[in-house]
């Protein structure tokens, strides 16, 4: 299905009303897809692949073709100690989490209610409440746009880091993720290291109880984009060295943080913004969410420039107060494609 000069408002959770030259929905990698893709490549036309547009901010009309990835399918293989899943990139992430739990497969419950599609998860190495994608990922299947060939990248080849992966670097152009493989260990161990999850009894808790607890936390903090436009966490939690963290936390002990195994420290971006008293702060139609400072919202008529201006003010306030300079987690999309988000708000 293809649409000419189509609005991208339904395809981004911020609800920014920009247009693309063409929007094509793909359900499988067939000859029609290749024909459409090849035509764009030969014309040197900008190409953008979207899942649910839950981690993007469109700055202007996109002067090219947008492909909406709806490649579906979930298959299960059982081994002695694991469940192996092969999942189409167009599957909704939260629905995948629910499907596995309803089938009695644990391991994804801490990642409940993260917006977007499965194909977007490896790009960010999504993580929440003590679990990251890299802990459950076995491989990622990609498609080369120039010749239609496929390649399977094993988990170590994905170079997963904190909200980072090879798909933001070597594979950020001319490739698209078409499927993700997961490995879920049958001998389940709950991860209860985050916030109110610590109150659950690790001896008796079930995966479904963890799932419901995570959903309750997320719903209390992050608005549903169906009703209030947002892209979830707008900024990354800053990663700093132990000495930097020590100096900062000595002066500002209320800032939440967590330690990494290598001794580095992840500071709470929401905590830093909170300390600047910016909850509810508004620029035009954009605002900092009252319940979660890390979420920027479209109050109904925000332009992308409103959101940029708000993000710029937040970054400057936090930088001036703490000498910590926040970086957007959200991808910025201009007329020709992705651009450096830090440069935009600096």
């Amino acid at each position: 299905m293809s649409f000419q000069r189509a609005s991208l408002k339904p395809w981004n959770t911020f609800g920014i009303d920009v247009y693309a030259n063409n929007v094509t929905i793909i359900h499988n990698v067939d000859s029609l897809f290749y024909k459409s893709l090849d035509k764009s490549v030969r014309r040197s036309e900008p190409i953008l692949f979207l899942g649910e547009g839950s981690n993007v901010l469109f700055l202007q009309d996109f002067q090219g073709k947008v492909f909406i990835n709806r490649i579906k399918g979930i298959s299960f293989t059982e081994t002695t100690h694991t469940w192996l899943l092969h999942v189409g990139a167009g599957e909704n992430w939260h629905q995948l989490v629910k499907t596995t739990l309803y089938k009695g497969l644990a391991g994804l419950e801490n990642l409940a209610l993260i917006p977007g599609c499965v194909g977007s998860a490896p790009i960010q190495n999504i993580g929440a409440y003590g679990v990251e994608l890299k802990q459950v990922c076995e491989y990622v299947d990609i498609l080369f746009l120039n010749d239609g060939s496929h390649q399977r990248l094993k988990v170590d080849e994905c170079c997963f880091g904190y909200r980072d992966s090879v798909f933001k670097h070597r594979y950020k152009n001319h490739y698209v993720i078409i499927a993700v493989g997961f490995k879920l260990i049958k001998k389940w161990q709950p991860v209860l290291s985050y916030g109110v999850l610590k109150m659950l009894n690790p001896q008796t808790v079930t995966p479904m109880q963890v799932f419901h607890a995570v959903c309750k936390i997320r719903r209390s903090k992050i608005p549903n984009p169906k009703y209030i436009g947002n892209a979830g966490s707008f900024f990354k939690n800053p990663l700093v060295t132990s000495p930097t963290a020590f100096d900062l936390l000595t002066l500002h002990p209320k800032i939440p943080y967590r330690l990494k195994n290598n001794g580095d420290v992840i500071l709470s971006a929401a905590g830093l913004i909170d300390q600047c008293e910016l909850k509810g702060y508004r620029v035009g139609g954009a605002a900092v969410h009252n319940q979660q400072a890390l979420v920027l919202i479209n109050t109904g008529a925000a332009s992308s420039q409103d959101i940029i201006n708000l993000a710029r003010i937040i970054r400057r306030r936090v930088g001036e107060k703490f000498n910590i300079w926040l970086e957007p987690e959200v991808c910025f999309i201009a007329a020709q494609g992705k651009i450096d988000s830090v440069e935009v708000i600096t």
Side-chain angles (χ1 to χ4, degrees):
M1 189 179 298
S2 186
F3 307 92
Q4 300 295 324
R5 187 58 184 168
S7 172
L8 292 172
K9 189 172 183 178
W11 305 111
N12 73 99
T13 59
F14 255 127
I16 302 298
D17 193 14
V18 294
Y19 283 75
N21 289 353
N22 178 280
V23 174
T24 298
I25 302 173
I26 57 171
H27 296 280
N28 51 65
V29 185
D30 58 12
S31 59
L32 289 176
F33 165 66
Y34 285 125
K35 183 178 179 181
S36 177
L37 180 62
D38 182 60
K39 189 180 295 184
S40 296
V41 171
R42 284 189 283 106
R43 291 175 176 174
S44 297
E45 182 180 31
I47 297 170
L48 178 67
F49 283 84
L50 286 180
E52 295 180 357
S54 60
N55 196 49
V56 298
L57 174 63
F58 284 101
L59 307 187
Q60 52 199 162
D61 290 346
F62 185 68
Q63 302 299 317
K65 179 170 288 187
V66 174
F67 291 94
I68 306 298
N69 191 332
R70 290 296 177 267
I71 300 173
K72 300 290 187 75
I74 306 174
S75 62
F76 301 85
T77 304
E78 184 178 8
T79 71
T80 304
H81 302 293
T82 64
W83 284 98
L84 304 177
L85 283 64
H86 180 86
V87 185
E91 291 282 353
N92 175 271
W93 176 263
H94 183 62
Q95 288 300 319
L96 170 66
V97 175
K98 292 201 296 185
T99 296
T100 57
L101 289 171
Y102 291 153
K103 288 182 173 291
L105 283 60
L108 301 182
E109 57 281 342
N110 290 57
L111 302 175
L113 271 185
I114 293 179
C117 288
V118 168
S120 303
I123 300 172
Q124 293 287 109
N125 182 29
I126 60 170
Y129 307 105
V131 175
E132 290 185 317
L133 180 86
K134 67 179 181 180
Q135 296 166 244
V136 292
C137 180
E138 186 182 24
Y139 60 80
V140 177
D141 287 347
I142 63 174
L143 171 75
F144 291 76
L145 302 183
N146 57 343
D147 61 6
S149 61
H150 294 206
Q151 182 177 347
R152 173 164 293 180
L153 299 178
K154 295 295 186 181
V155 62
D156 58 336
E157 296 176 290
C158 295
C159 301
F160 288 127
Y162 177 66
R163 300 298 176 269
D164 198 22
S165 71
V166 72
F167 307 107
K168 284 189 171 183
H169 305 285
R170 178 182 174 188
Y171 291 103
K172 71 176 181 179
N173 296 316
H174 310 301
Y175 311 87
V176 62
I177 294 172
I178 56 175
V180 180
F182 297 88
K183 180 188 287 186
L184 304 181
I185 307 299
K186 288 183 178 179
K187 190 176 181 181
W188 179 69
Q189 294 290 330
V191 179
L192 307 175
S193 58
Y194 188 96
V196 298
L197 296 184
K198 294 178 181 178
M199 299 173 62
L200 300 174
N201 187 337
Q203 303 303 318
T204 60
V205 71
T206 67
M208 194 61 79
Q209 287 173 331
V210 176
F211 169 81
H212 287 304
V214 169
C215 288
K216 184 177 181 179
I217 297 168
R218 292 189 70 89
R219 288 185 175 123
S220 70
K221 292 182 176 182
I222 302 176
N224 188 329
K226 290 181 180 179
Y227 309 109
I228 301 176
N230 73 93
S233 299
F234 192 88
F235 293 102
K236 300 176 186 177
N237 289 321
L239 180 65
V240 299
T241 63
S242 181
T244 298
F246 178 82
D247 292 343
L248 180 65
L249 294 170
T250 299
L251 295 173
H252 306 280
K254 293 184 179 181
I255 296 172
Y257 68 92
R258 56 190 173 90
L259 298 174
K260 289 182 66 67
N261 292 335
N262 64 358
D264 287 345
V265 178
I266 297 176
L267 301 173
S268 167
L272 295 169
I273 299 168
D274 269 340
Q275 293 280 310
C276 294
E277 300 181 346
L278 286 168
K279 275 184 178 175
Y281 190 89
R282 183 165 179 160
V283 174
V288 180
H289 188 46
N290 283 317
Q291 301 301 317
Q292 170 53 274
L294 200 51
V295 176
L296 307 189
I297 62 172
N298 178 352
T299 63
S303 66
S304 54
Q305 192 61 49
D306 289 339
I307 297 169
I308 290 169
N309 290 342
L310 177 59
R312 186 177 289 132
I313 290 170
I314 294 169
R315 186 173 193 267
R316 187 181 71 243
R317 293 273 188 92
V318 171
E320 289 173 350
K321 186 176 182 68
F322 303 111
N323 198 30
I324 300 290
W325 299 90
L326 299 179
E327 297 183 3
E329 185 171 318
V330 173
C331 297
F332 287 15
I333 312 294
Q336 298 294 310
K338 294 180 184 179
I339 60 174
D340 190 319
S341 57
V342 174
E343 286 187 6
V344 173
I345 66 170
T346 297

